Amino acid sequence: MGWIGEQIDSVKSMQFRQLFTQAISLGMIVTSALIIWKGLMCITGSESPVVVVLSGSMEPGFKRVSHLFIFY
């Protein structure tokens, strides 16, 4: 039973490490997105430097789901 117990502990340890690594990776992605967003806010001088056209009200100039960068 000692060898099996060691194997179970090893698997539990690997799962914890994988979960920890995934949590760190997710945190880095979210942090990077926030840094990019704040950087764009500083560069453009706008609170919403990137917007998406959600309706057809701006056609024919901009189609739905167009991404716009706003500069002041």
Side-chain angles (χ1 to χ4, degrees):
M1 281 299 240
W3 181 81
I4 294 173
E6 289 175 14
Q7 292 300 322
I8 291 172
D9 288 340
S10 175
V11 169
K12 286 180 182 178
S13 176
M14 277 196 324
Q15 289 175 348
F16 174 75
R17 284 187 214 139
Q18 288 175 341
L19 181 63
F20 183 72
T21 302
Q22 289 177 354
I24 294 294
S25 296
L26 178 62
M28 290 175 62
I29 290 168
V30 170
T31 302
S32 297
L34 289 173
I35 289 171
I36 291 169
W37 186 262
K38 287 293 187 177
L40 284 172
M41 284 176 63
C42 291
I43 292 169
T44 63
S46 173
E47 294 227 1
S48 297
V50 180
V51 294
V52 178
V53 178
L54 296 177
S55 69
S57 64
M58 298 180 79
E59 288 183 1
F62 301 105
K63 297 193 183 286
R64 285 186 67 223
V65 194
S66 294
H67 294 75
L68 306 175
F69 293 93
I70 300 175
F71 294 92
Y72 286 119

